[in-house]
């Protein structure tokens, strides 16, 4: 995977860095796995704006992704690797031997024609899904469940991966992309490998219009607001601001907002990096 810097033949292309999408094999999605995706524009059922800075954007259709990987011991063949407008990672279309088709999160190194399988006792090859209890220690994994049967929730974005550190009793210790080390039940499923499109973080949009295409409207700086609108508003000229905080007054940049009585705190061994 690589990125490409464009020649500045227009102002919007002067700083733009694009993804070459060399891994993509087709531009047409599987119709049977598409559903409509309705946007709210940040409005509630009364039409009132409840979330700022949302609206517009290109029309999308949702690709139904198999996060559970619950088709056990049935071999599937990767027929295409596709772009998904709803996530940063690429997706792969899998054709199973019983003629069912499913989308999964594509792992780095996926090739068309590659065979993958999920199950309790499959080999720990790239793209295979299996319980944490059967994965060798030190393996790089992604698309990890937090509760058995719920489906993958951890390490799903482009280039993400976690590392399986240790195993004790019914829990497995994994190190997450954020730097956090936590316990997860050993019968939770995970996928072997690193999520595709790791160069996603290197891309530069080049102009404000591309952000509008994604459905994000311009954001007003808090220091430019009035005191009635934000805790950081007001002041004479540029002598304004203060400590960074939210509109409700909760400090940011270092202030920990996680509840001290949260039930899952006991599963976190080491907090994420500051």
């Amino acid at each position: 995977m690589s990125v490409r810097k464009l020649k500045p033949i227009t102002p919007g292309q002067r700083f733009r860095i694009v993804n070459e999408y060399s891994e993509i094999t087709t531009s047409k999605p599987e119709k049977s796995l598409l559903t409509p995706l309705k946007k709210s524009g940040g409005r509630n059922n009364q039409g009132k704006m409840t979330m700022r800075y949302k609206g517009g954007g290109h029309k999308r259709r949702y690709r139904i992704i198999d996060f559970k990987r619950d088709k056990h011991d049935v071999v599937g063949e990767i027929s295409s690797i596709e772009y998904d407008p709803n996530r940063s990672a690429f997706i792969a279309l899998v054709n199973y031997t019983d003629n069912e088709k499913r989308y999964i999160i594509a792992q780095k190194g996926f090739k068309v024609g590659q065979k993958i399988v999920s199950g309790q006792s499959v080999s720990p090859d790239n793209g295979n899904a299996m319980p944490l209890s059967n994965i060798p220690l030190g393996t790089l994994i992604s698309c990890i469940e937090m509760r058995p049967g719920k489906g993958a929730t951890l390490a799903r974005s482009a280039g993400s991966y976690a590392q399986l550190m240790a195993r004790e009793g019914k829990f497995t210790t994994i190190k997450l992309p954020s730097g956090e080390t936590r316990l997860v039940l050993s019968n939770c499923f995970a996928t072997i490998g690193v999520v595709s499109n790791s160069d996603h973080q290197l891309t530069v949009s080049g102009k404000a219009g591309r952000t509008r295409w994604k459905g994000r409207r311009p954001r007003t700086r808090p220091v430019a607001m009035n005191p009635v609108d934000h805790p950081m508003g007001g002041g004479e000229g540029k002598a304004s601001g203060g400590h960074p905080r939210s509109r409700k007054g909760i400090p940011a940049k270092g202030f920990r907002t996680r509840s001290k009585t949260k039930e899952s705190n006991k599963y976190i061994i080491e907090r994420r990096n500051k």
Side-chain angles (χ1 to χ4, degrees):
M1 201 66 224
S2 58
V3 294
R4 180 164 53 95
K5 197 175 189 307
L6 301 182
K7 290 185 177 180
I9 58 175
T10 62
Q13 291 186 358
R14 180 166 296 278
F15 303 107
R16 190 178 172 200
I17 299 176
V18 298
N19 202 327
E20 283 196 333
Y21 297 112
S22 55
E23 294 180 17
I24 302 297
T25 61
T26 181
S27 59
K28 292 186 178 180
E30 173 63 34
K31 284 188 176 181
S32 63
L33 297 173
L34 294 178
T35 57
L37 188 63
K38 183 174 172 57
K39 293 186 176 181
S40 66
R43 273 75 176 168
N44 62 5
N45 58 357
Q46 296 177 322
K48 295 180 180 179
M49 184 186 291
T50 56
M51 180 60 67
R52 301 176 296 173
Y53 317 131
K54 290 179 70 172
H58 200 288
K59 191 173 184 179
R60 302 175 183 176
R61 284 184 293 177
Y62 185 75
R63 279 77 168 161
I64 301 173
I65 310 293
D66 178 20
F67 288 117
K68 293 187 177 182
R69 297 293 298 271
D70 54 0
K71 203 169 181 65
H72 295 169
D73 302 320
V74 181
V75 178
E77 180 180 337
I78 298 173
S79 60
S80 64
I81 298 172
E82 304 176 14
Y83 169 80
D84 188 350
N86 305 299
R87 64 193 71 254
S88 58
F90 296 145
I91 57 176
L93 181 63
V94 181
N95 289 344
Y96 289 95
T97 51
D98 58 359
N99 295 326
E100 186 181 356
K101 294 182 179 181
R102 291 190 183 186
Y103 275 129
I104 65 169
I105 299 291
Q107 304 295 311
K108 188 176 182 180
F110 266 13
K111 302 291 183 184
V112 173
Q114 179 179 334
K115 299 286 195 300
I116 61 169
V117 65
S118 65
Q120 293 286 337
S121 56
V122 300
S123 60
D125 297 330
N126 187 31
N128 288 354
M130 54 196 302
L132 293 171
S133 58
N134 297 339
I135 300 176
L137 296 180
T139 306
L140 299 183
I141 55 177
S142 56
C143 300
I144 308 161
E145 287 183 330
M146 290 188 72
R147 286 199 294 271
K150 181 186 177 184
T153 53
L154 302 175
R156 292 184 352 186
S157 61
S160 295
Y161 63 89
Q163 189 170 19
L164 202 150
M165 306 293 290
R167 196 177 292 118
E168 184 177 355
K170 63 179 181 179
F171 286 103
T172 298
T173 304
I174 58 173
K175 190 175 181 66
L176 297 174
S178 63
E180 178 179 292
T181 304
R182 69 169 292 140
L183 299 174
V184 179
L185 284 169
S186 295
N187 55 348
C188 289
F189 266 65
T191 303
I192 309 295
V194 180
V195 180
S196 58
N197 196 18
S198 57
D199 287 336
H200 171 75
Q201 61 179 347
L202 303 177
T203 59
V204 179
S205 66
K207 63 178 183 178
R210 282 184 62 82
T211 305
R212 298 302 300 265
W213 298 344
K214 294 178 182 179
R216 302 176 193 150
R217 298 179 62 229
R219 187 178 183 89
T220 305
R221 292 175 301 121
V223 294
M225 298 180 186
N226 291 321
V228 69
D229 299 317
H230 200 280
M232 293 171 65
E236 292 293 329
K238 289 193 175 181
S240 59
H243 297 289
R245 56 187 67 238
S246 71
R247 193 157 53 141
K248 294 184 178 180
I250 300 174
K253 296 192 176 182
F255 182 78
R256 294 187 171 183
T257 56
R258 185 180 174 93
S259 171
K260 294 179 181 179
T261 60
K262 194 163 185 175
E263 181 66 23
S264 60
N265 282 346
K266 58 188 177 183
Y267 300 120
I268 298 176
I269 299 174
E270 187 178 347
R271 287 290 300 267
R272 63 185 172 89
N273 302 325
K274 288 186 179 180

